[in-house]
Amino acid sequence: MRRYSAFALAREALNHHEGWERAWGSPELKSSYDVVIVGGGGHGLATAYYLAKNHGITNVAILEKGWLGGGNTGRNTTIIRSNYLQEESAAIYELSRSLYETLSQDLNFNIMFSPRGVMMLCQTEHELRAMKRTAHANRLAGIETELVDPATVAKHCPIINLDGPRYPVLGGLWQPRAGTARHDAVAWGYARAAAAMGVDVIQNCEVTGVDVSNGKVTGVRTTRGGVRCDKLAVVVAGHSTVLADMAGFRLPIESVALQAMVSEPIKPVMDIVVMANTVHGYLSQSDKGEMVVGGGADGYNNYTQRGSFQHIEETVRALVETFPIIGRLKMLRQWGGIVDMTGDRSPILSKTPVEGVFVNCGWGTGGFKAIPGSGWATAGLIAKGEDDVAGPFSLDRFREGRMIDESVAAAVAH
Ligand SMILES: Cc1cc2nc3c(=O)[nH]c(=O)nc-3n(C[C@H](O)[C@H](O)[C@H](O)COP(=O)(O)OP(=O)(O)OC[C@H]3O[C@@H](n4cnc5c(N)ncnc54)[C@H](O)[C@@H]3O)c2cc1C
């Protein structure tokens, strides 16, 4: 793989940019692989990359039914943070956030990581107490967060209205090294780096069946024919239960559409990310100047993958009191993705009842931030059969009642 660098750019500029090679190839599906990964979103691609990089396993195929990152990875609002409450979560989300810090260099692909800081507002006494608890938990876990007063919130976010009649701002949980990254670049960067190490990245290839013999996976059926494999990783977010059905087991997952929208571009007004969990919405400003607005998940299970009128009203109505400028913005686009929700709002990284089948799912409304750490841990689980970071997130926890409750940290869709 040719390295991207300032020199390469200069050389190509002189060459009318005609010498660039394809970022990743378009290989034919082979008849068998050591590992097949279903799902070419961030988590599937990162899993393939760390399988190759950390464990030297390169006879791997990623099978994606559409295009890379075309699921939730390319539809999210790109917030990266690690201010979760439980120790197990802190471990995986902080591993992820710290990997994001150097991911552009690691992948040799600019993922535009922007550690601009994330502020989670406290707009009720209850929320203030909950965030105080989270700040203490974060400190114990070695994660840099701070509970700040309303004046500090306003200093970071000048467009905020601190004195809303229903939801005054009482403080905020501030994580200075949290932020955003360019979501498709994360998918493309992992794909390019994995392909360079020998992984087959195959798009437009839908998995339609899973072959199991004597309780062990033997392969998958796809729209491009059958493939044999020793191990199968199911990394398909909102379609996890569909794949689990094919393999013959059940997952405690519900699929719902989660929606977001962007406004027309405006001059820079806000250089951090602000989440207003009580009113259920959050905001950041994109590099193009659009206000990126995230709202809640649909209140009913569905696979629609698109926005709805009622959500524009609900989300905007919630945010205008705290961010009055929203009332004067025109909304440009709205969309939805199908997210995979667990009861305790924590992911599942696990072996399954079928030998050789692994699942990485349940990231719900907040898995973009977790892509590097999740890929790292899932690769370890697949390669060695166990992984310290993935361990607590096994399917067993639902049988054993050992929940990792993150319903506060994941209270708003993000
Ligand atoms: C509107 C919205 C906003 C969000 N905002 C944030 C945020 O700010 N921060 C954050 O951390 N997270 C956020 N998320 C959540 C985050 O996007 C997801 O948790 C994450 O992208 C999941 O990645 P993934 O790789 O598991 O899934 P996906 O990116 O959905 O990839 C799964 C892939 O599997 C493929 N697939 C499905 N079935 C098959 C099949 N049978 N055969 C082959 N391929 C198949 C799909 O086509 C898809 O490409 C948001 C999500 C949405 C929808």
Side-chain angles (χ1 to χ4, degrees):
M1 179 177 69
R2 202 167 129 200
R3 277 192 67 74
Y4 292 155
S5 68
F7 298 114
L9 196 61
R11 214 171 24 247
E12 283 307 321
L14 297 172
N15 192 23
H16 305 287
H17 291 285
E18 284 172 4
W20 294 114
E21 57 195 21
R22 290 181 67 134
W24 57 86
S26 193
E28 285 302 313
L29 194 60
K30 291 195 293 212
S31 58
S32 84
Y33 291 92
D34 294 341
V35 182
V36 165
I37 298 172
V38 194
H43 290 263
L45 291 160
T47 300
Y49 173 72
Y50 293 114
L51 268 176
K53 186 178 175 206
N54 295 356
H55 305 283
I57 300 174
T58 56
N59 187 19
V60 176
I62 298 174
L63 309 183
E64 165 54 51
K65 72 174 172 184
W67 65 95
L68 297 184
N72 296 327
T73 296
R75 292 165 189 264
N76 63 66
T77 44
T78 76
I79 300 177
I80 295 167
R81 60 186 177 85
S82 59
N83 53 356
Y84 282 68
L85 182 64
Q86 312 291 351
E87 268 174 29
E88 301 87 342
S89 321
I92 195 160
Y93 288 108
E94 180 58 15
L95 168 67
S96 216
R97 199 206 56 76
S98 60
L99 287 168
Y100 263 123
E101 293 260 7
T102 51
L103 197 58
S104 294
Q105 292 80 357
D106 186 18
L107 299 178
N108 181 228
F109 198 97
N110 187 3
I111 59 137
M112 297 166 77
F113 178 56
S114 163
R116 58 184 69 183
V118 171
M119 184 74 76
M120 289 174 97
L121 299 180
C122 308
Q123 293 181 286
T124 62
E125 288 293 343
H126 174 79
E127 200 170 21
L128 190 61
R129 276 199 299 274
M131 289 302 161
K132 200 179 276 180
R133 185 170 70 137
T134 302
H136 290 317
N138 289 164
R139 192 163 309 124
L140 287 173
I143 294 169
E144 188 191 352
T145 62
E146 188 189 354
L147 196 69
V148 296
D149 62 11
T152 311
V153 173
K155 196 173 110 250
H156 285 294
C157 180
I159 62 169
I160 206 160
N161 172 22
L162 293 177
D163 306 316
R166 287 182 307 158
Y167 300 113
V169 175
L170 306 176
L173 182 68
W174 172 236
Q175 185 171 17
R177 293 301 292 179
T180 59
R182 174 70 198 267
H183 44 20
D184 351 63
V186 172
W188 298 337
Y190 273 120
R192 176 171 172 269
M197 288 188 283
V199 170
D200 282 356
V201 178
I202 299 177
Q203 303 181 71
N204 296 314
C205 180
E206 180 171 358
V207 172
T208 53
V210 176
D211 296 325
V212 178
S213 171
N214 296 327
K216 185 177 179 329
V217 68
T218 55
V220 291
R221 275 159 280 145
T222 81
T223 45
R224 294 202 191 179
V227 194
R228 288 191 306 279
C229 64
D230 296 334
K231 293 179 180 173
L232 175 70
V234 173
V235 197
V236 293
H239 290 83
S240 300
T241 54
V242 178
L243 267 290
D245 276 351
M246 292 178 196
F249 61 90
R250 299 191 68 201
L251 287 172
I253 295 273
E254 292 185 19
S255 295
V256 294
L258 173 67
Q259 301 186 27
M261 63 193 103
V262 290
S263 75
E264 59 190 331
I266 54 172
K267 286 188 176 167
V269 292
M270 191 174 101
D271 61 3
I272 64 168
V273 180
V274 183
M275 303 176 64
N277 296 353
T278 294
V279 300
H280 223 83
Y282 56 97
L283 267 188
S284 65
Q285 189 164 20
S286 76
D287 296 338
K288 284 184 282 182
E290 300 160 336
M291 298 307 286
V292 181
V293 183
D298 284 359
Y300 48 92
N301 295 355
N302 66 83
Y303 289 94
T304 53
Q305 219 174 29
R306 62 179 175 214
S308 62
F309 283 127
Q310 127 234 3
H311 253 279
I312 307 181
E313 196 190 335
E314 266 175 28
T315 306
V316 170
R317 188 176 52 198
L319 290 174
V320 277
E321 179 183 312
T322 308
F323 305 95
I325 70 159
I326 293 230
R328 300 181 57 194
L329 290 178
K330 292 191 180 68
M331 290 300 155
L332 266 193
R333 296 192 301 283
Q334 183 201 15
W335 65 90
I338 305 304
V339 297
D340 40 343
M341 313 286 273
T342 57
D344 61 0
R345 299 295 184 259
S346 285
I348 303 172
L349 305 178
S350 184
K351 294 178 182 172
T352 67
V354 178
E355 197 185 331
V357 177
F358 300 82
V359 285
N360 172 333
C361 62
W363 292 102
T365 59
F368 175 68
K369 63 177 73 64
I371 286 172
S374 151
W376 184 290
T378 309
L381 186 63
I382 295 170
K384 299 177 297 181
E386 56 182 20
D387 180 87
D388 288 349
V389 176
F393 297 101
S394 72
L395 266 172
D396 296 343
R397 77 175 189 273
F398 296 98
R399 256 195 310 274
E400 295 164 3
R402 188 175 38 80
M403 302 306 164
I404 304 173
D405 184 359
E406 287 295 356
S407 43
V408 172
V412 73
H414 49 274

